[in-house]
Amino acid sequence: MLAAAPGGRTMGDPSQPGKRPRHKPTAGAGKPITAGLKSNTGQIPALGSLSDLPTGPVPLWALFYPRRGPEARMAGQAVFALLLLLLAGTILPSWSTVVNSCSSAAERLCDFVCDCSDCSDENRCGYLQGSAVLGTPFTCDFEEGDCGWQDVSTSTYKWVRGRASLAAWDMGPHSDHTVGTDLGWFMVTVSPPAKTTAMAWLRSPVMREAAATCEIRAWYHLSGSGEGAHGGHGWVSGNWAQGGDHGGQWGGTGPPAPMAGTEPPARQDGSLPSCSPLHALHRELAGPGGPGSGPQRGQGSVSPHGYPGVPTAEGHVLGLPTGLNQTEQPVLRLAMAYRDEVVGLWQSPGRGGEGWHQLVAYPGRIPGQFQLIFSLTQPPACGAQLALDDIIFRNCGLQEPGQQVCGAEERNCSRGSCLAQHRFCDNTDDCGDGSDEDPAQCENFLHCSFEDNLCSWKAEDGQTKWERNTSLSLGTGYSVPSRDHSKNNRAGFFLHVSTTSATGANGTAQLSSPSFQATNSCSLVLYCHLHGSATSSLSISYVTDSTTKHLVRERMGDLGSSWVRERVDFSVNKSFKVLIEGVARGAGSVAIDDLILSPGCMEKPAQGVSPSDEPSTTLPSQTRAAPCAAEEVACDSGDCISAELACDFAETCADGSDEKRCGAITFEAGAGGWHDVSVGRLRWGVQKATEAASAVLIGAFLALQAGEGQVMAAAKARTPLLGPSGPACAMEMSYRIHHSPQGFLAVSIADHTTSTTHLAWHTQGHAGTAEGRVRVLLGERTRPFQVELLGLVDLQDSGSAAIDNVTFVQCHPDAVPSEAAELSCNFERGMCGWYQDHSSDFKWVHGTGQGQGSDHTTGSGYFLAADPSAPWSRGQRAQLVTYRQQPAAAPRCLSFWYRLAGPQIGTLNLKLRLEGAEETVLWTQRGTQGSVWHRGQATLPATGQRQYRVAFEALRDGFLGDVALDDLALTAGPCGAELSCSFEVDACGLAAGEARSWLRQSNGTGTTAGPAADHTTGAATGHYMVVSTGRSSLPAGRVAALTSQPYQPSAPTQCLAFWYQLSAGTPGSLDVFVEQSGVKRKVMSVSTMEGDAWHRGHVTVQPDGDWQVTFEAVGAGGDRGYIALDDLHVLDGACPEPASCDFERDMCGWSSPSDPRLHSFAWGWKSGVPLVKYPGPKQDHTLGTRDGHYVHFDTSVLGSGGTTARLESQHLPAAADSCLRFWYHMDIPEHLSCGELRVRLHSAAGQRTVWSVAGHRSRGWRGGVVPVQSHIEFQIIFEITTQRWPMEGTVALDDIVYSSGQGCHSSPEVPVEEKSSSSFVAQVVLGLLLAIIILALVAVGSWYWLKRRGPASRTPAESDAPQGFDNITFRDDKVIISPEPKEGNEV
């Protein structure tokens, strides 16, 4: 008996020759999975969107979505059974009604169509009506809640909603995917590593009526601890944090098609690690329960479907996919619960790189109710964590009823919508009401679903053969289908072929049809599944009696884990057979289902002729001798070469044929290696123009054409596997696009080494035509990678897109441009001998400012900038690298100008990569240095006979700031004395008088007792210079000297500043000497110090020639002790007094603490030159010009809830009667003023506030005077803090003067505020208004509020004059405002 679809006819039933019987609907659970309908009203356009692209500078696909306002929330949500109630005829109880604003019927809730005017019937459906951030409808970005997703895990392995934590930068996600910072939200799994396999389940609310075009996209980030590690993880202040060795950055985009024939890293014993560090997924694995394996046992009982059973509250058992055995990797799965079936939609690959990856799933047409379930399976002791974000549902709603006027090639569905005629009777419910699959219309179509047998199709014998199989018997491997197409379940049959031989040889499986009569109206529809390999293929041909095979359609590559509709037409003037051939390579598999032949395909009648007399159609030999081995490819000459040498940009075959079909093509002789991997209604194909299509397209070219798929996605074509490539590698091509603004053409790079896909180039239609020739930089990449071409236009609206004349230039690994040796560069005319490393999405950008400041060369030219706040900057590092340099016989000096700006910026490193050796850091700088240019330098050592490279590396610590480089200069000879040294790289030329006296070390790796943390980084890993002063190391009176290199005078006076620390007890003394012209004089000496903090020392030098500084540690005979030095700086000009600064040259020791609990927000330093990215006053206070400098902070980065940003002074000695004077500038709208600027004193006794002012709109620079008293050593802290709501505005400080031992009025230099009488009147009026308001509040019962908001929160009165002083009185922790400020008032 031969199977048939509803309304179909059996194929060649021998019991009824020549008869076309009608077939009854197949019994089974639910309707078949379906696909393919025009977009419905209220959904995104039928064109699809740019979400097919990887993340770029702007989420391009957002252009296709109208932005929505705030969503109206549902009033409630029904509570369902734990997973499903396996009741006859229904998957969920009928009482699961959700309240909505327009009282829409329950069956119309969460059906992807807005029935209410505010779309409140589509909220908390696993999505909201839209994402305000992404601008996409039917999206859950988790910024406003969980969208109805619910954790239904049965163990301690749970899903929760959380954020990233900057305190755990190397532990899990650094940011969410939506906003790209640590302030965004996502769902994440949390639990300590289990001793057994654990699963975490996340279930959606009930959804309804998915259309055949439905597409689900989401982004996931998977990281895990190292093998056998037990690093725990948890939540800190609501933020994500974890312990152990974890991998993951926010990388670019979704993983590319997998490479065939590769394997994950193995242990020394040859086995696979149970949970690989950094890379928890390995794409090339077939996955748990690979092909041929049976169901695997997981937690709970095993259901009949092969999934572990999960008991519901009602006692039912529901099957979900198993995870892993004891040696597998973490696996993320997306499954769908539909009626009494649970079917897989998507599974994470065997190999995955760092960062966020995109998953795409196509559920197909789902009538009635269904739910989605994400499950993460964790091997024992793995500690895998997964973050999930930005779940988007596209084109999932059914077409709304209503009669439409159809085109010539269309017909009406019963609902009134139009559908292309060739989509009727294809076993897909495109109309949504089944009318396109009406049995009466489809009775003459020959359909084979393989449920019972092969119908009249014949699987040819051979080493590789098509076999009937089910997902249930194949297991849950990564590449095998998780369901059939006919029944949409794991028990349905399909034909399948996979690699079967132990050697990995890839044979061709052949499936042939009966002989058909000559025809011009025969068409074949089938559904194919190609997944798991970039080189698997499926071809459809026809063979005539001459044994000639005519190829009609070929699909190659990875099409994803879905059934893809394919349709071909046959016009043959003699009898023929259809031949379907499948080749599964590597870990991939190929499957087909639902072969449907149109009525024009008439079987050739026997007419009483015996088989021996009938002319036969002989198929091409399947077992012809292969000239090459499995891992080889054949040259056109017949020679064999390794497959790794094909398409490697170097001709290996004598005839060069190994490089002929690699994507470089004019398309006159075919596709040239490009293969279409589209799954939707657009595809790429070679097209020949009868006349010149345009100035750039002549003859044949690769163009967008109508595709046969179900969904509305961008068309995609790929090259073969390429590489390796050199740093200068680029692809050049001519292009033309004609479309509305929604159309686009793009090139991306699928890198199989990092399992990421990066957008390299794109252009959009602009309601017209765009054409030209473009050079797309591919860069240095290891093998294998593929170039992807993506396009989206509306062909029905005269849209078009095409490319031509593709060439690859300078792609050989040894190819370098002519300017490769030019390391000196001002970037005015390009990158010189430097290029961008493509290993991260955090990029260096060649530009003129982007709002963060001008260049260093001319003030209006070009420089390089790496901006971690840019939307595409999701990686952790950005690297700028030189081409391979020839060996250097002598040292050279590389000088450069750099900028490190912003409240969260990170580190800039200069590294040397010497051939055959590990890279070394030559220079480093960490943390914000202000929005000004600084000079850096490093000596490049002689390299002997070895080649080398130099690299600048920007490491981000957060998401707010930028790094810039300009004016690189390479000169002969070593660099001179370093004017700034943090000791992070080396001793900067400072030499110890005796071996092992002064040592450079960190607390984490040092052998000598020293500070717990350095001053530069505030961490145990930071470096400093230290000398042990215990009697065993440095006896009493003995001296340990540390001498600098000679400094050259650059100003009449210079300031030597440094940070030092002396241990408690008897550490000895630190003496500082300056030597010039042979004369050595002591300029500073210290022998005691309070606490264990770093203290700042400074010495003003008046040089009359080169001078040196010597630090001498003198032993005092104590049992133990140490003296340490860090952060040595030499500046022009005299040193300011401690804690005093006009900020013209530097920040004078003022700094922001590196405290992760404060998000490490740092104050900036800039001039009055306006910067879009860093707003502030247009004039400083010192000079009153735009060239003057000050410190500033943008309060908008703080957020709400008491977040602070601090500016701290150096440690100051106890003060009985001192005074702090400063000038501040605030520009914060009053309605956003929900925070304060405070002055606090911090000591071992604690902290107290001595001055504060609430945020307010700018009235110019204002003065502040604060008496300072402390009986012990202390620090002065300026602190900006928010309260319940965030502030929006800027605060700046300038001309800070700290007078030690002098009261605020003991000096005639104390400035006095002068206020006009109008100011006094204004104060009186304001006072009366304030009194009235207070009385009104008391009248309505707000006494408690008034008590809390006492005088400490009042704002000092201010004059209308542009400058003045706040006259305040110091009273412990309060600030009292004098009602009538007068000269001589006591403070």
Side-chain angles (χ1 to χ4, degrees):
M1 184 64 183
L2 303 178
R9 58 188 172 95
T10 59
M11 193 173 167
D13 189 341
S15 65
Q16 302 181 39
K19 189 174 181 179
R20 302 177 181 271
R22 296 173 67 101
H23 183 76
K24 296 180 180 180
T26 302
K31 296 183 180 180
I33 183 171
T34 57
L37 184 66
K38 294 181 179 179
S39 63
N40 60 287
T41 305
Q43 297 290 338
I44 64 175
L47 293 175
S49 76
L50 280 170
S51 58
D52 302 294
L53 287 173
T55 306
V58 176
L60 296 178
W61 40 265
L63 299 173
F64 292 84
Y65 296 99
R67 289 191 175 270
R68 307 274 181 166
E71 298 82 12
R73 301 280 183 164
M74 293 184 187
Q77 181 182 22
V79 178
F80 300 104
L82 182 59
L83 289 177
L84 286 177
L85 296 178
L86 299 183
L87 302 177
T90 181
I91 70 165
L92 291 167
S94 59
W95 44 260
S96 55
T97 303
V98 181
V99 178
N100 58 93
S101 63
C102 64
S103 300
S104 179
E107 62 271 13
R108 303 193 67 177
L109 298 176
C110 302
D111 63 353
F112 311 100
V113 177
C114 295
D115 297 302
C116 299
S117 59
D118 59 359
C119 207
S120 59
D121 57 311
E122 299 301 313
N123 276 338
R124 293 192 59 79
C125 298
Y127 55 86
L128 302 181
Q129 77 171 66
S131 166
V133 179
L134 301 176
T136 56
F138 306 122
T139 298
C140 183
D141 57 20
F142 299 106
E143 298 304 313
E144 299 181 36
D146 57 17
C147 307
W149 289 90
Q150 182 180 358
D151 175 71
V152 290
S153 306
T154 58
S155 66
T156 58
Y157 205 19
K158 301 288 185 182
W159 289 87
V160 297
R161 179 172 171 263
R163 285 174 166 172
S165 172
L166 291 180
W169 184 258
D170 294 325
M171 303 175 185
H174 308 146
S175 66
D176 80 326
H177 184 266
T178 311
V179 299
T181 74
D182 58 324
L183 301 180
W185 294 86
F186 47 76
M187 296 297 293
V188 66
T189 58
V190 291
S191 172
K195 294 182 179 180
T196 60
T197 298
M199 295 184 69
W201 292 316
L202 184 68
R203 184 193 65 190
S204 76
V206 179
M207 303 176 185
R208 296 170 175 83
E209 301 294 340
T213 53
C214 186
E215 175 184 281
I216 304 170
R217 290 180 179 262
W219 292 83
Y220 68 94
H221 181 285
L222 182 58
S223 58
S225 62
E227 177 185 348
H230 291 274
H233 46 81
W235 293 91
V236 180
S237 301
N239 289 339
W240 168 242
Q242 65 189 32
D245 180 13
H246 303 274
Q249 303 177 13
W250 291 118
T253 57
M259 177 185 70
T262 61
E263 296 295 336
R267 297 191 185 100
Q268 293 181 355
D269 61 4
S271 62
L272 295 176
S274 63
C275 187
S276 172
L278 299 182
H279 304 290
L281 300 178
H282 295 273
R283 173 175 284 276
E284 303 313 317
L285 293 177
S293 66
Q296 298 184 13
R297 185 173 301 275
Q299 290 183 333
S301 60
V302 178
S303 74
H305 307 289
Y307 294 142
V310 182
T312 65
E314 286 73 15
H316 298 283
V317 175
L318 176 71
L320 279 178
T322 62
L324 313 151
N325 56 34
Q326 295 294 313
T327 61
E328 294 290 353
Q329 302 295 321
V331 174
L332 171 67
R333 289 185 175 90
L334 173 61
M336 176 179 63
Y338 168 61
R339 294 194 176 176
D340 59 349
E341 295 290 338
V342 178
V343 295
L345 299 180
W346 178 91
Q347 177 178 316
S348 59
R351 170 168 294 175
E354 301 174 348
W356 280 97
H357 297 280
Q358 189 180 46
L359 69 86
V360 182
Y362 301 103
R365 171 75 176 106
I366 308 298
Q369 303 180 17
F370 64 96
Q371 286 179 288
L372 300 176
I373 302 171
F374 284 99
S375 65
L376 179 66
T377 308
Q378 170 183 263
C382 177
Q385 298 91 25
L386 183 125
L388 186 67
D389 205 0
D390 292 341
I391 305 174
I392 303 175
F393 296 83
R394 292 173 39 186
N395 301 312
C396 290
L398 295 176
Q399 185 86 322
E400 293 186 5
Q403 198 68 27
Q404 297 180 359
V405 178
C406 299
E409 302 296 325
E410 297 178 328
R411 288 163 53 187
N412 283 111
C413 301
S414 295
R415 296 165 61 94
S417 57
C418 296
L419 182 67
Q421 292 183 11
H422 65 80
R423 294 188 180 274
F424 282 76
C425 301
D426 62 354
N427 205 38
T428 293
D429 180 13
D430 299 292
C431 289
D433 56 8
S435 59
D436 56 316
E437 304 301 315
D438 179 58
Q441 298 184 60
C442 302
E443 63 177 347
N444 292 324
F445 284 78
L446 290 169
H447 175 219
C448 186
S449 65
F450 306 112
E451 294 303 319
D452 298 314
N453 50 41
L454 300 185
C455 310
S456 290
W457 293 86
K458 178 183 178 182
E460 303 296 333
D461 293 329
Q463 181 181 6
T464 304
K465 185 178 180 179
W466 289 102
E467 297 178 346
R468 284 179 66 245
N469 222 323
T470 66
S471 301
L472 193 61
S473 62
L474 289 174
T476 57
Y478 169 69
S479 63
V480 300
S482 59
R483 52 184 169 160
D484 79 326
H485 181 268
S486 307
K487 292 185 174 182
N488 192 23
N489 65 32
R490 304 187 72 229
F493 283 84
F494 48 80
L495 293 191
H496 175 259
V497 58
S498 61
T499 303
T500 56
S501 65
T503 61
N506 309 119
T508 300
Q510 294 183 331
L511 181 72
S512 62
S513 72
S515 294
F516 294 112
Q517 302 177 30
T519 180
N520 60 2
S521 61
C522 175
S523 65
L524 168 67
V525 171
L526 60 80
Y527 293 85
C528 60
H529 187 286
L530 283 79
H531 191 35
S533 171
T535 54
S536 295
S537 64
L538 176 75
S539 61
I540 305 173
S541 310
Y542 69 87
V543 182
T544 61
D545 52 14
S546 63
T547 71
T548 302
K549 183 171 68 173
H550 303 270
L551 180 65
V552 181
R553 184 68 49 81
E554 183 177 26
R555 302 304 302 264
M556 178 180 290
D558 194 327
L559 305 184
S561 181
S562 63
W563 290 99
V564 178
R565 181 182 185 271
E566 191 57 80
R567 177 180 175 272
V568 294
D569 295 320
F570 299 99
S571 181
V572 188
N573 58 10
K574 60 179 69 175
S575 62
F576 67 97
K577 286 185 177 182
V578 177
L579 179 64
I580 302 174
E581 296 178 300
V583 179
R585 292 187 171 92
S589 66
V590 179
I592 55 176
D593 200 4
D594 287 335
L595 276 61
I596 304 170
L597 289 161
S598 68
C601 304
M602 303 295 295
E603 290 186 33
K604 188 175 181 179
Q607 298 179 348
V609 179
S610 65
S612 60
D613 298 331
E614 180 182 356
S616 62
T617 300
T618 305
L619 296 177
S621 174
Q622 178 193 19
T623 60
R624 60 182 179 272
C628 302
E631 298 301 323
E632 294 181 330
V633 295
C635 303
D636 290 350
S637 62
D639 297 332
C640 297
I641 64 171
S642 171
E644 292 291 313
L645 299 177
C647 299
D648 65 347
F649 306 109
E651 294 183 356
T652 305
C653 294
D655 55 6
S657 57
D658 56 314
E659 301 298 317
K660 287 183 178 178
R661 290 171 288 276
C662 300
I665 189 68
T666 62
F667 300 106
E668 299 302 323
W674 289 89
H675 55 275
D676 179 71
V677 290
S678 308
V679 298
R681 301 192 178 188
L682 288 173
R683 66 183 302 271
W684 287 101
V686 176
Q687 181 175 317
K688 293 186 177 181
T690 55
E691 57 185 26
S694 72
V696 298
L697 301 178
I698 301 174
F701 45 83
L702 192 65
L704 283 180
Q705 302 172 351
E708 299 295 339
Q710 308 98 307
V711 296
M712 299 167 184
K716 182 184 296 185
R718 291 194 184 111
T719 65
L721 297 173
L722 306 175
S725 62
C729 180
M731 183 184 77
E732 296 181 352
M733 68 178 187
S734 302
Y735 73 93
R736 184 179 189 271
I737 180 171
H738 174 75
H739 193 59
S740 60
Q742 288 79 13
F744 72 86
L745 190 63
V747 174
S748 62
I749 304 168
D751 193 322
H752 295 276
T753 302
T754 59
S755 294
T756 54
T757 301
H758 299 278
L759 178 64
W761 172 86
H762 79 278
T763 185
Q764 294 175 236
H766 298 283
T769 301
E771 62 181 18
R773 188 159 182 84
V774 65
R775 181 185 179 96
V776 181
L777 182 65
L778 306 181
E780 184 176 30
R781 298 182 184 275
T782 58
R783 182 182 181 89
F785 70 92
Q786 291 176 286
V787 179
E788 293 185 343
L789 177 67
L790 299 98
L792 181 68
V793 297
D794 187 353
L795 298 178
Q796 297 181 351
D797 192 27
S798 302
S800 64
I803 67 167
D804 200 0
N805 300 318
V806 180
T807 59
F808 294 97
V809 295
Q810 294 186 309
C811 285
H812 190 277
D814 296 331
V816 293
S818 58
E819 66 273 12
E822 298 178 11
L823 302 193
S824 296
C825 192
N826 61 13
F827 303 109
E828 295 301 317
R829 297 184 179 181
M831 303 277 286
C832 307
W834 301 82
Y835 69 91
Q836 176 90 248
D837 189 341
H838 294 279
S839 62
S840 173
D841 284 341
F842 185 15
K843 301 295 186 184
W844 290 95
V845 178
H846 182 251
T848 57
Q850 296 84 39
Q852 67 261 47
S854 60
D855 81 323
H856 178 264
T857 312
T858 65
S860 59
Y862 287 84
F863 61 94
L864 293 184
D867 185 357
S869 64
W872 63 88
S873 294
R874 298 184 183 274
Q876 186 182 6
R877 61 176 51 85
Q879 293 189 326
L880 182 71
V881 189
T882 66
Y883 296 93
R884 188 176 291 109
Q885 302 295 306
Q886 295 303 312
R892 292 176 293 174
C893 180
L894 179 63
S895 64
F896 51 92
W897 291 84
Y898 69 93
R899 192 167 58 202
L900 280 165
Q904 290 178 323
I905 184 52
T907 303
L908 177 63
N909 293 324
L910 176 62
K911 293 184 173 182
L912 175 68
R913 298 177 179 175
L914 191 61
E915 186 179 39
E918 294 185 0
E919 65 181 16
T920 57
V921 178
L922 301 177
W923 178 93
T924 187
Q925 186 65 265
R926 179 178 179 180
T928 184
Q929 306 296 310
S931 301
V932 296
W933 289 103
H934 301 269
R935 187 176 185 270
Q937 63 180 24
T939 298
L940 305 184
T943 63
Q945 301 300 315
R946 291 186 289 181
Q947 294 181 327
Y948 68 96
R949 297 188 185 192
V950 181
F952 281 100
E953 178 185 64
L955 299 175
R956 65 192 294 174
D957 280 348
F959 307 93
L960 302 166
D962 65 271
V963 187
L965 282 172
D966 203 1
D967 291 336
L968 280 60
L970 184 65
T971 56
C975 301
E978 296 190 32
L979 302 181
S980 179
C981 183
S982 65
F983 302 109
E984 293 304 311
V985 174
D986 55 26
C988 305
L990 274 74
E994 297 181 7
R996 300 193 60 80
S997 55
W998 286 89
L999 299 175
R1000 173 184 166 271
Q1001 69 170 41
S1002 69
N1003 184 62
T1005 60
T1007 58
T1008 299
D1014 75 328
H1015 177 264
T1016 311
T1017 67
T1021 55
H1023 290 79
Y1024 47 78
M1025 298 296 294
V1026 65
V1027 58
S1028 176
T1029 58
R1031 67 169 63 96
S1032 60
S1033 302
L1034 196 65
R1038 188 173 175 181
V1039 175
L1042 184 68
T1043 305
S1044 73
Q1045 293 179 310
Y1047 296 106
Q1048 296 179 347
S1050 56
T1053 58
Q1054 291 180 279
C1055 178
L1056 168 67
F1058 55 91
W1059 293 80
Y1060 65 91
Q1061 186 176 138
L1062 277 65
S1063 64
T1066 311
S1069 63
L1070 173 64
D1071 298 333
V1072 183
F1073 295 85
V1074 171
E1075 180 179 355
Q1076 52 183 332
S1077 301
V1079 178
K1080 183 177 179 180
R1081 62 187 182 92
K1082 183 186 293 188
V1083 293
M1084 176 181 167
S1085 180
V1086 60
S1087 59
T1088 59
M1089 192 182 75
E1090 291 187 39
D1092 58 356
W1094 286 94
H1095 289 66
R1096 189 173 189 263
H1098 63 265
V1099 175
T1100 297
V1101 180
Q1102 295 179 330
D1104 55 7
D1106 290 356
W1107 58 278
Q1108 289 178 284
V1109 60
T1110 300
F1111 298 94
E1112 292 187 355
V1114 182
D1119 292 337
R1120 63 182 62 86
Y1122 65 82
I1123 297 176
L1125 292 172
D1126 203 1
D1127 288 333
L1128 186 150
H1129 302 280
V1130 176
L1131 303 168
D1132 290 342
C1135 298
E1137 293 298 318
S1140 297
C1141 197
D1142 61 10
F1143 301 105
E1144 294 306 314
R1145 294 176 302 167
D1146 68 346
M1147 295 181 64
C1148 312
W1150 288 89
S1151 62
S1152 297
S1154 299
D1155 189 346
R1157 294 171 299 177
L1158 304 176
H1159 295 269
S1160 298
F1161 289 135
W1163 285 64
W1165 175 43
K1166 68 182 292 288
S1167 68
V1169 176
L1171 300 177
V1172 175
K1173 189 170 182 178
Y1174 305 112
K1178 296 181 179 180
Q1179 296 178 346
D1180 79 326
H1181 179 265
T1182 309
L1183 305 179
T1185 69
R1186 59 183 286 163
D1187 297 324
H1189 294 77
Y1190 52 82
V1191 290
H1192 68 101
F1193 192 84
D1194 183 358
T1195 64
S1196 62
V1197 307
L1198 290 178
S1200 59
T1203 310
T1204 63
R1206 296 174 180 171
L1207 183 69
E1208 298 178 345
S1209 73
Q1210 65 190 77
H1211 284 257
L1212 300 170
D1217 187 16
S1218 299
C1219 187
L1220 175 69
R1221 301 177 179 84
F1222 59 92
W1223 292 83
Y1224 70 93
H1225 187 288
M1226 304 187 77
D1227 191 6
I1228 301 172
E1230 276 77 2
H1231 65 282
L1232 296 175
S1233 175
C1234 295
E1236 293 180 325
L1237 170 64
R1238 300 171 179 169
V1239 176
R1240 310 189 76 182
L1241 300 184
H1242 171 75
S1243 67
Q1247 291 191 19
R1248 54 184 177 140
T1249 300
V1250 295
W1251 182 92
S1252 68
V1253 61
H1256 57 271
R1257 192 176 293 277
S1258 173
R1259 294 185 178 90
W1261 285 98
R1262 313 294 299 164
V1265 179
V1266 181
V1268 176
Q1269 296 179 353
S1270 179
H1271 65 280
I1272 57 176
E1273 184 179 279
F1274 68 99
Q1275 287 177 283
I1276 300 172
I1277 299 176
F1278 287 93
E1279 180 184 78
I1280 299 174
T1281 183
T1282 61
Q1283 297 177 9
R1284 180 172 302 176
W1285 306 108
M1287 287 194 295
E1288 296 285 342
T1290 58
V1291 177
L1293 293 172
D1294 201 0
D1295 291 335
I1296 300 175
V1297 178
Y1298 173 69
S1299 303
S1300 177
Q1302 302 178 12
C1304 289
H1305 291 282
S1306 61
S1307 171
E1309 297 179 0
V1310 176
V1312 178
E1313 178 181 16
E1314 296 181 1
K1315 295 190 176 181
S1316 62
S1317 59
S1318 62
S1319 174
F1320 175 73
V1321 173
Q1323 290 184 50
V1324 173
V1325 173
L1326 289 174
L1328 291 175
L1329 291 175
L1330 181 62
I1332 294 173
I1333 293 173
I1334 292 174
L1335 290 174
L1337 291 173
V1338 171
V1340 297
S1342 299
W1343 174 87
Y1344 178 71
W1345 183 88
L1346 288 174
K1347 182 178 180 181
R1348 292 176 56 195
R1349 307 285 288 183
S1353 63
R1354 300 176 189 170
T1355 303
E1358 301 181 81
S1359 113
D1360 294 331
Q1363 297 182 356
F1365 280 86
D1366 294 326
N1367 194 3
I1368 56 179
T1369 303
F1370 172 71
R1371 299 282 179 85
D1372 292 330
D1373 198 32
K1374 296 183 179 179
V1375 176
I1376 301 176
I1377 306 172
S1378 301
E1380 295 186 49
K1382 297 180 181 179
E1383 185 176 357
N1385 277 3
E1386 181 177 331
V1387 296

